Amino acid sequence: MYVEGAVRWGAWIALLLWGSVATGASLASSSPWPCPHRCDCQQEALQVNCSTRHLSAVPEGISRDSHRLDLSRNRLKTLARRQFAGLPRLRELDLSDNILSVVEVEAFQGLQNLHTLRLRGNRLKIIPVGVFSGLAGLRLLDLAENEILVFLDYTFRDLTSLQRLEAGENDLVFISHRAFTGLAGLQELNLNRCNLTSMPTEALSQLQGLTRLRFRRLSLGTLPNNSFRRLSRLRELTIAQSPWLDTLAPNSLFGLNLTSLSITGCNLTAVPYAPIHHLVYLRYLDLSHNPITTVRAHLLGDLLRLQELHLVGAGLLRIEPGAFRGLAHFRLLNVSSNLLATLEETAFHSVGNLETLRLDRNPLACDCRLLWVVRRRLRLDFDGRPPTCSHPVKAQGREFRGFSESELPGLFTCRPARILNRKPQEVRVEEGHTVLFFCKADGDPTPAISWLTPHLSLVSPTGRIRVLPNGTLEVRYAQVQDSGTYLCVASNAAGNQSFSVGLHVRGFSSSSSSGRNRSAPFFPEGWVLPSGYPQSIANSNSSAQGPSPFPFDAKTLVIAVTMGFLSFLSSVVICFIFMFFWSQSKGQIKHTATIDFVPRSSAGTSGHRGDRVDTGRFTMKLI
Ligand SMILES: *[C@@H]1O[C@H](CO)[C@@H](O)[C@H](O)[C@H]1NC(C)=O
Ligand SMILES: *[C@@H]1O[C@H](CO)[C@@H](O)[C@H](O)[C@H]1NC(C)=O
Ligand SMILES: *[C@@H]1O[C@H](CO)[C@@H](O)[C@H](O)[C@H]1NC(C)=O
Ligand SMILES: *[C@@H]1O[C@H](CO)[C@@H](O)[C@H](O)[C@H]1NC(C)=O
Ligand SMILES: *[C@@H]1O[C@H](CO)[C@@H](O)[C@H](O)[C@H]1NC(C)=O
Ligand SMILES: *[C@@H]1O[C@H](CO)[C@@H](O)[C@H](O)[C@H]1NC(C)=O
Ligand SMILES: *[C@@H]1O[C@H](CO)[C@@H](O)[C@H](O)[C@H]1NC(C)=O
Ligand SMILES: *[C@@H]1O[C@H](CO)[C@@H](O)[C@H](O)[C@H]1NC(C)=O
Ligand SMILES: *[C@@H]1O[C@H](CO)[C@@H](O)[C@H](O)[C@H]1NC(C)=O
Ligand SMILES: *[C@@H]1O[C@H](CO)[C@@H](O)[C@H](O)[C@H]1NC(C)=O
């Protein structure tokens, strides 16, 4: 009896001693560590693990001293009011992956030491105001992967210490204006896969301590002006996988002072230069997986501190020279998986600062423009994926790292632009003719051809005087003031060459059009060429083809009848006779010969009402 008692006492003392050694003095006075049936308890960690035990209710008999309670992956359906009132020391509570659909108001009352609460992966549809009351010490709340549609006003008002709120994967469609009231300490908010159709600007403006904000799957087409008012502490903004988002309003990011911005997997067709230009502290910019084809010159220069740009899988065709001009700290460019044929050294402020370059999976032409990369191939960090050549054939498929110094002179070379067929082109025409000047050039890489007017301005690809896609200069309806010397410039990375042509346009002085204002276009008001006939009527290149496709449509007939059909016909006949002789005598100007069928302009002839052809208001214009 005595012995038995001594043994029992000894065991008791040993247990006490062991407990205090293992968990520190705070436990010295505690009662024995009870452990609920079916759970794993680790007394030294003050941890009760009831994960994956098919529990349908919170088990009884959990020690008051527990710091961590894991009830994840069970079948808990509801949490009653003051459900955890007996566990005042609890710091972490994990209720993830249950089937919770009802959490009563004040369910967590009494857990004033709780700092982490996980409710991820349940079936919560609504969170009544007051559910989180009593959780004044909570720092992390995870509500992701539920079915919450709205956040109501004051839902989180008691969580004054909350630092991080995970609310992603919820089909959230609306966030009430005062939903985030009280979350003054919140630093990080994740709203991944929300179905928000408008930016919860008003609600977010309550979160003045926020430093990181993440959205995914916004159902938004445009990010409106001032979307992030009063978030002056925000440093990282991520918007991902929002395929409808194609526009950032010019002031959408106004008021922010970001160091990191990611807008990926959206539908932006251009780098949002204007919305981001004020972000002078930005260091990290990721615009990957947007259909952006060009990084334009000199438009990122305000981002003084930018260090990294990621533009992966964007269909990028060109990074213009000067694109990163002004970015003195730029050290990482990730343009893997695009359609770039080259990347010129002149794109950078200083390639000496560049440390990491991902240029792999681009159809690169290995000519002199990429020589700077191959020269730095041992110093640059290619992140394990060195670029490879797609062109020329002899270097196809070869990695930049693999070239030896001795083969470089034969590879990575360019041939300067050279204009072919420099036969002098001097063209003299009557006004109204269409004139083409050819300019073809070769070189490696293929030269770009541009034309300068006699006033040395660049000819654009549209307009009356334009450059055709094949480099030909086209002057339509030549006018006297178009006369002069035009310059064709062919240029590529290795050099440029130019070539001049002359155009002399004589004023047209036949009786039928002597009075026309020569600088005005030929088409008089009210007359439109039938759109089906532009080639055959307006530009037919031989007189014999002229008459056959006449536009005797209703409009022409009505006009003809009202104006006197006879005089119309006689005008036509006179014109054709005239045309016949003209073509006999002037047939040599083949490539410019065009027939233009236009009536006389009432505006253009206003001063010449007395003309003898006045009755036939049509003149056949031969060009
Ligand atoms: C609880 O146990 C499960 C396995 O039963 C384990 O996956 C989980 O990490 C444990 N939880 C803690 C907090 O250690
Ligand atoms: C949210 O968006 C997803 C996919 O975009 C869609 O399947 C789901 O039905 C949407 N939910 C609501 C509530 O609109
Ligand atoms: C956004 O702000 C810019 C600049 O103030 C303004 O030009 C633009 O019209 C605004 N857009 C909208 C949709 O209000
Ligand atoms: C993305 O933009 C293009 C045109 O810019 C449009 O055709 C396409 O439908 C847009 N995609 C989505 C998912 O809205
Ligand atoms: C912007 O952010 C940077 C770096 O985080 C900080 O140094 C700077 O003071 C901030 N500027 C303003 C106006 O808040
Ligand atoms: C470049 O982008 C790819 C794809 O997003 C990524 O896997 C890789 O880590 C990036 N490389 C660097 C150096 O950032
Ligand atoms: C260029 O294109 C125009 C029209 O497309 C054509 O008339 C001209 O002959 C072409 N020039 C050359 C040199 O191929
Ligand atoms: C042509 O080359 C010269 C010098 O080589 C250069 O000054 C000029 O700007 C170039 N012109 C064009 C259009 O590239
Ligand atoms: C000719 O037309 C141009 C513009 O259409 C006008 O500026 C000019 O004054 C006109 N000249 C005469 C002589 O009517
Ligand atoms: C111009 O004439 C040539 C041969 O004379 C012919 O091949 C060409 O199709 C004609 N062009 C037009 C627009 O009729």
Side-chain angles (χ1 to χ4, degrees):
M1 189 69 188
Y2 174 75
V3 173
E4 201 183 311
V7 167
R8 195 183 289 158
W9 270 107
W12 187 227
I13 289 165
L15 188 67
L16 259 184
L17 274 176
W18 180 79
S20 53
V21 166
T23 61
S26 66
L27 257 186
S29 60
S30 67
S31 47
W33 180 259
C35 189
H37 170 62
R38 293 208 268 179
C39 296
D40 265 352
C41 299
Q42 287 177 293
Q43 189 175 6
E44 64 277 28
L46 300 173
Q47 173 172 314
V48 179
N49 189 347
C50 312
S51 177
T52 330
R53 299 297 148 101
H54 305 287
L55 299 174
S56 54
V58 177
E60 299 288 324
I62 300 171
S63 165
R64 271 184 76 84
D65 298 321
S66 307
H67 282 185
R68 299 165 78 185
L69 174 57
D70 186 349
L71 288 164
S72 63
R73 295 162 205 257
N74 283 297
R75 338 206 95 257
L76 304 182
K77 226 181 208 159
T78 59
L79 294 181
R81 192 162 169 266
R82 303 180 70 86
Q83 177 86 60
F84 303 97
L87 304 169
R89 305 231 166 101
L90 213 55
R91 296 185 185 170
E92 283 185 46
L93 176 57
D94 192 345
L95 292 158
S96 316
D97 301 308
N98 280 280
I99 50 172
L100 286 172
S101 55
V102 179
V103 179
E104 287 182 13
V105 170
E106 297 183 0
F108 305 104
Q109 191 76 41
L111 296 178
Q112 63 269 24
N113 290 312
L114 199 70
H115 62 66
T116 301
L117 174 58
R118 298 183 198 275
L119 287 161
R120 172 183 286 262
N122 280 288
R123 301 200 184 147
L124 300 175
K125 284 196 165 52
I126 194 141
I127 300 187
V129 177
V131 162
F132 300 120
S133 71
L135 293 174
L138 201 67
R139 297 204 287 262
L140 166 66
L141 175 60
D142 188 350
L143 291 170
E145 294 175 41
N146 279 283
E147 295 162 13
I148 305 168
L149 292 176
V150 291
F151 281 143
L152 303 172
D153 279 347
Y154 308 113
T155 299
F156 304 106
R157 80 181 156 197
D158 304 301
L159 304 178
T160 47
S161 307
L162 200 67
Q163 292 174 357
R164 184 166 149 209
L165 174 58
E166 299 282 341
E169 318 293 320
N170 262 312
D171 295 349
L172 206 60
V173 292
F174 183 66
I175 298 179
S176 174
H177 286 355
R178 299 195 199 299
F180 296 139
T181 300
L183 295 178
L186 197 72
Q187 292 170 8
E188 186 171 343
L189 173 60
N190 283 350
L191 289 167
N192 286 346
R193 197 169 80 87
C194 49
N195 284 24
L196 294 174
T197 51
S198 67
M199 194 38 79
T201 299
E202 189 60 40
L204 290 173
S205 71
Q206 318 270 321
L207 300 174
Q208 293 176 24
L210 205 63
T211 58
R212 302 167 110 197
L213 177 58
R214 289 201 205 124
F215 291 100
R216 187 179 299 174
R217 296 235 216 132
L218 276 172
S219 308
L220 208 65
T222 304
L223 202 60
N225 278 344
N226 301 309
S227 290
F228 304 100
R229 280 187 290 124
R230 286 189 252 157
L231 295 183
S232 60
R233 300 243 182 100
L234 197 67
R235 293 291 175 266
E236 287 184 40
L237 175 63
T238 303
I239 299 176
Q241 291 160 28
S242 306
W244 289 277
L245 187 66
D246 54 21
T247 317
L248 302 193
N251 283 343
S252 51
L253 305 179
F254 190 73
L256 294 181
N257 176 15
L258 300 176
T259 57
S260 166
L261 174 64
S262 299
I263 304 178
T264 58
C266 301
N267 205 9
L268 302 181
T269 52
V271 176
Y273 302 103
I276 64 175
H277 88 276
H278 70 281
L279 300 174
V280 295
Y281 285 92
L282 199 68
R283 292 199 294 263
Y284 177 97
L285 178 61
D286 189 348
L287 297 169
S288 297
H289 305 291
N290 281 288
I292 296 175
T293 55
T294 312
V295 181
R296 304 211 1 238
H298 308 299
L299 290 177
L300 292 171
D302 290 335
L303 307 179
L304 297 172
R305 295 171 180 83
L306 194 69
Q307 296 180 359
E308 293 190 23
L309 174 65
H310 299 258
L311 241 167
V312 176
L316 206 55
L317 288 165
R318 186 162 148 76
I319 295 179
E320 293 186 351
F324 309 125
R325 186 69 48 81
L327 308 184
H329 301 279
F330 197 62
R331 57 176 189 77
L332 185 149
L333 178 65
N334 192 351
V335 286
S336 168
S337 308
N338 281 295
L339 300 172
L340 292 170
T342 195
L343 175 62
E344 289 181 57
E345 187 173 0
T346 50
F348 297 89
H349 188 80
S350 146
V351 286
N353 294 342
L354 195 68
E355 291 166 12
T356 307
L357 177 64
R358 279 284 300 263
L359 194 55
D360 55 298
R361 306 174 91 203
N362 279 288
L364 297 177
C366 289
D367 55 37
C368 62
R369 294 168 295 174
L370 284 170
L371 191 59
W372 70 273
V373 178
V374 90
R375 284 219 180 104
R376 288 175 170 74
R377 65 194 182 284
L378 300 177
R379 246 178 300 150
L380 275 176
D381 176 6
F382 292 128
D383 190 25
R385 308 277 177 93
T388 50
C389 299
S390 297
H391 180 86
V393 177
K394 61 182 169 183
Q396 214 162 40
R398 293 194 54 190
E399 283 190 358
F400 276 38
R401 278 262 155 88
F403 292 109
S404 70
E405 210 58 49
S406 58
E407 32 179 357
L408 288 188
L411 293 160
F412 294 94
T413 54
C414 287
R415 237 171 344 108
R418 192 170 56 92
I419 292 177
L420 306 171
N421 193 9
R422 300 168 60 89
K423 197 171 60 179
Q425 295 180 42
E426 290 287 325
V427 175
R428 291 172 186 281
V429 290
E430 303 271 352
E431 83 176 314
H433 287 240
T434 291
V435 184
L436 299 176
F437 291 108
F438 299 122
C439 183
K440 267 201 144 108
D442 72 0
D444 185 16
T446 308
I449 290 184
S450 50
W451 283 88
L452 299 176
T453 65
H455 311 292
L456 297 179
S457 60
L458 208 58
V459 181
S460 80
T462 55
R464 192 174 57 82
I465 303 179
R466 59 176 181 164
V467 182
L468 300 175
N470 61 12
T472 298
L473 176 71
E474 183 189 58
V475 180
R476 285 184 294 170
Y477 315 115
Q479 295 175 14
V480 175
Q481 72 272 21
D482 297 340
S483 302
T485 302
Y486 289 77
L487 197 66
C488 169
V489 182
S491 53
N492 70 9
N496 58 30
Q497 198 174 47
S498 64
F499 169 56
S500 60
V501 299
L503 174 63
H504 308 276
V505 183
R506 228 177 322 127
F508 195 67
S509 53
S510 94
S511 57
S512 61
S513 63
S514 57
R516 185 163 25 78
N517 180 343
R518 288 192 177 101
S519 57
F522 290 122
F523 298 110
E525 62 182 10
W527 177 262
V528 180
L529 276 175
S531 60
Y533 295 91
Q535 286 302 315
S536 51
I537 302 306
N539 287 312
S540 171
N541 64 1
S542 102
S543 58
Q545 290 175 337
S548 52
F550 258 136
F552 275 121
D553 61 353
K555 184 177 179 183
T556 315
L557 283 175
V558 168
I559 295 169
V561 167
T562 53
M563 290 188 170
F565 194 58
L566 273 181
S567 60
F568 172 72
L569 258 190
S570 60
S571 294
V572 169
V573 168
I574 289 167
C575 284
F576 278 133
I577 293 169
F578 181 47
M579 205 158 77
F580 177 72
F581 285 112
W582 180 280
S583 68
Q584 293 295 302
S585 59
K586 297 270 183 170
Q588 68 269 24
I589 319 173
K590 263 292 181 244
H591 68 288
T592 63
T594 309
I595 295 170
D596 200 4
F597 177 70
V598 264
R600 290 166 53 80
S601 158
S602 56
T605 59
S606 53
H608 301 269
R609 280 278 158 226
D611 262 357
R612 63 184 165 79
V613 286
D614 202 17
T615 45
R617 298 279 161 86
F618 289 88
T619 25
M620 278 304 268
K621 181 76 179 78
L622 285 180
I623 302 178

Coordinates of all heavy atoms in Angstrom, one line a residue, residues 80-105:
A80 N -21.1 27.0 -33.0 CA -22.0 27.7 -32.2 C -21.4 28.9 -31.5 O -20.2 29.1 -31.5 CB -22.5 26.7 -31.1
R81 N -22.3 29.7 -30.9 CA -21.8 30.9 -30.2 C -20.9 30.4 -29.1 O -21.1 29.4 -28.4 CB -23.1 31.5 -29.6 CG -22.8 32.9 -29.1 CD -24.1 33.7 -28.9 NE -23.8 34.9 -28.2 CZ -24.0 34.9 -26.9 NH1 -24.5 33.9 -26.2 NH2 -23.6 36.1 -26.2
R82 N -19.8 31.1 -28.9 CA -18.8 30.9 -27.8 C -18.3 29.4 -27.9 O -18.0 28.8 -26.9 CB -19.4 31.2 -26.5 CG -19.8 32.6 -26.4 CD -20.4 33.0 -25.0 NE -19.3 33.0 -24.0 CZ -18.6 34.1 -23.7 NH1 -18.7 35.2 -24.4 NH2 -17.6 34.0 -22.8
Q83 N -18.2 28.9 -29.1 CA -17.8 27.5 -29.3 C -16.4 27.2 -28.6 O -16.2 26.1 -28.1 CB -17.7 27.3 -30.8 CG -17.2 25.9 -31.2 CD -18.4 24.9 -31.2 OE1 -19.3 25.0 -32.0 NE2 -18.3 23.9 -30.4
F84 N -15.5 28.2 -28.6 CA -14.2 27.9 -28.1 C -13.9 28.7 -26.8 O -12.7 28.9 -26.5 CB -13.1 28.3 -29.2 CG -13.4 27.6 -30.5 CD1 -14.1 28.2 -31.6 CD2 -12.9 26.3 -30.7 CE1 -14.3 27.5 -32.8 CE2 -13.1 25.6 -31.9 CZ -13.8 26.2 -32.9
A85 N -14.9 29.0 -26.1 CA -14.8 29.8 -24.9 C -13.8 29.2 -23.9 O -13.2 29.9 -23.1 CB -16.1 30.1 -24.3
G86 N -13.7 27.9 -23.9 CA -12.9 27.2 -22.9 C -11.4 27.2 -23.3 O -10.6 26.6 -22.6
L87 N -11.0 27.9 -24.3 CA -9.6 27.8 -24.8 C -9.0 29.2 -24.9 O -8.5 29.6 -25.9 CB -9.5 27.1 -26.2 CG -10.2 25.7 -26.2 CD1 -10.3 25.2 -27.7 CD2 -9.4 24.7 -25.4
P88 N -8.9 29.9 -23.8 CA -8.5 31.3 -23.8 C -7.1 31.5 -24.3 O -6.7 32.6 -24.7 CB -8.7 31.7 -22.4 CG -8.5 30.5 -21.6 CD -9.1 29.4 -22.4
R89 N -6.2 30.4 -24.2 CA -4.8 30.6 -24.6 C -4.6 30.3 -26.1 O -3.4 30.4 -26.5 CB -3.9 29.7 -23.8 CG -4.1 29.8 -22.3 CD -2.8 30.0 -21.6 NE -3.0 30.5 -20.2 CZ -3.0 29.7 -19.2 NH1 -2.7 28.5 -19.3 NH2 -3.2 30.2 -18.0
L90 N -5.6 29.9 -26.8 CA -5.4 29.5 -28.2 C -4.8 30.6 -29.0 O -5.3 31.7 -29.0 CB -6.8 29.0 -28.8 CG -6.7 27.9 -29.8 CD1 -6.0 26.7 -29.2 CD2 -8.2 27.6 -30.2
R91 N -3.8 30.2 -29.8 CA -3.1 31.2 -30.7 C -3.4 30.9 -32.2 O -3.5 31.8 -32.9 CB -1.6 31.2 -30.5 CG -1.3 31.6 -29.1 CD 0.2 31.8 -28.9 NE 0.4 32.1 -27.5 CZ 1.6 32.1 -27.0 NH1 2.7 31.7 -27.7 NH2 1.8 32.4 -25.7
E92 N -3.5 29.6 -32.5 CA -3.8 29.3 -33.9 C -4.9 28.3 -33.9 O -4.9 27.3 -33.2 CB -2.6 28.6 -34.5 CG -1.5 29.5 -34.9 CD -0.4 28.8 -35.6 OE1 -0.7 27.9 -36.5 OE2 0.8 29.0 -35.3
L93 N -5.9 28.6 -34.8 CA -7.0 27.7 -34.9 C -7.2 27.4 -36.4 O -7.4 28.4 -37.2 CB -8.3 28.4 -34.3 CG -9.6 27.6 -34.5 CD1 -9.5 26.2 -33.9 CD2 -10.7 28.4 -33.8
D94 N -7.2 26.2 -36.8 CA -7.3 25.8 -38.2 C -8.6 25.0 -38.4 O -8.8 23.9 -37.9 CB -6.1 24.9 -38.6 CG -6.0 24.8 -40.1 OD1 -7.0 25.1 -40.8 OD2 -4.9 24.4 -40.6
L95 N -9.5 25.6 -39.1 CA -10.8 25.0 -39.4 C -11.0 24.8 -40.9 O -12.1 24.6 -41.5 CB -11.9 25.9 -38.9 CG -12.1 25.9 -37.4 CD1 -12.8 27.2 -37.0 CD2 -12.7 24.7 -36.8
S96 N -9.8 24.8 -41.7 CA -9.9 24.6 -43.1 C -10.5 23.3 -43.5 O -10.4 22.3 -42.8 CB -8.5 24.7 -43.7 OG -7.7 25.6 -43.2
D97 N -11.0 23.3 -44.7 CA -11.5 22.1 -45.4 C -12.5 21.3 -44.6 O -12.3 20.1 -44.4 CB -10.3 21.2 -45.8 CG -9.3 22.0 -46.7 OD1 -9.8 22.5 -47.7 OD2 -8.1 22.0 -46.4
N98 N -13.4 22.0 -44.0 CA -14.6 21.3 -43.4 C -15.7 21.6 -44.3 O -15.5 22.0 -45.5 CB -14.8 21.8 -42.0 CG -13.8 21.1 -41.0 OD1 -14.1 20.0 -40.6 ND2 -12.7 21.8 -40.7
I99 N -17.0 21.5 -43.8 CA -18.1 21.8 -44.6 C -18.9 22.9 -43.9 O -20.2 22.9 -43.9 CB -19.0 20.6 -44.9 CG1 -19.3 19.8 -43.7 CG2 -18.3 19.7 -46.0 CD1 -20.3 18.7 -43.9
L100 N -18.2 23.8 -43.2 CA -18.9 24.8 -42.4 C -19.7 25.7 -43.3 O -19.2 26.3 -44.3 CB -17.8 25.7 -41.8 CG -17.1 25.1 -40.6 CD1 -15.9 26.1 -40.2 CD2 -18.0 24.9 -39.4
S101 N -21.0 25.8 -43.0 CA -21.8 26.8 -43.7 C -22.4 27.8 -42.7 O -22.9 28.8 -43.2 CB -22.9 26.1 -44.5 OG -23.7 25.3 -43.7
V102 N -22.5 27.5 -41.5 CA -23.0 28.4 -40.5 C -22.0 28.6 -39.4 O -21.5 27.7 -38.8 CB -24.3 27.8 -39.9 CG1 -24.9 28.8 -38.8 CG2 -25.3 27.5 -40.9
V103 N -21.7 29.9 -39.2 CA -20.8 30.3 -38.1 C -21.6 31.3 -37.3 O -21.9 32.4 -37.9 CB -19.5 30.8 -38.6 CG1 -18.6 31.3 -37.3 CG2 -18.7 29.8 -39.4
E104 N -22.0 31.0 -36.1 CA -22.9 31.9 -35.4 C -22.1 33.1 -34.9 O -20.9 33.1 -34.8 CB -23.5 31.2 -34.2 CG -24.6 30.2 -34.7 CD -25.3 29.6 -33.5 OE1 -25.1 30.0 -32.3 OE2 -26.0 28.6 -33.7
V105 N -22.9 34.2 -34.7 CA -22.3 35.4 -34.2 C -21.6 35.1 -32.9 O -22.0 34.2 -32.1 CB -23.4 36.5 -33.9 CG1 -23.0 37.7 -33.2 CG2 -24.0 36.9 -35.3

